[in-house]
Amino acid sequence: MLKRTLHRRILGSALIILGALMMWLAPEIWSGVVMILIAIALEILGITLERKSGHP
């Protein structure tokens, strides 16, 4: 998908921040649970992209 390390790192960091922000802003009702699940998925995707950028 993304071949450049810098772009992967930027995208990975942005996804981690977005996921954390969504977790922080999630309401305490059922829609909040959906937001938390999406945020967790974004966090995992961001961490995966960060890990790939560390290896050539």
Side-chain angles (χ1 to χ4, degrees):
M1 185 171 103
L2 294 174
K3 294 183 180 181
R4 293 190 176 184
T5 303
L6 179 62
H7 291 141
R8 268 200 313 260
R9 284 190 160 251
I10 292 170
L11 180 61
S13 298
L15 288 173
I16 290 170
I17 292 169
L18 180 63
L21 185 64
M22 285 179 69
M23 284 184 201
W24 186 61
L25 294 174
E28 295 182 12
I29 55 175
W30 284 106
S31 61
V33 173
V34 173
M35 276 184 70
I36 291 287
L37 293 175
I38 293 171
I40 290 170
L42 287 176
E43 291 270 342
I44 291 170
L45 183 60
I47 291 169
T48 303
L49 286 174
E50 284 285 329
R51 286 183 143 239
K52 284 184 180 179
S53 64
H55 301 290

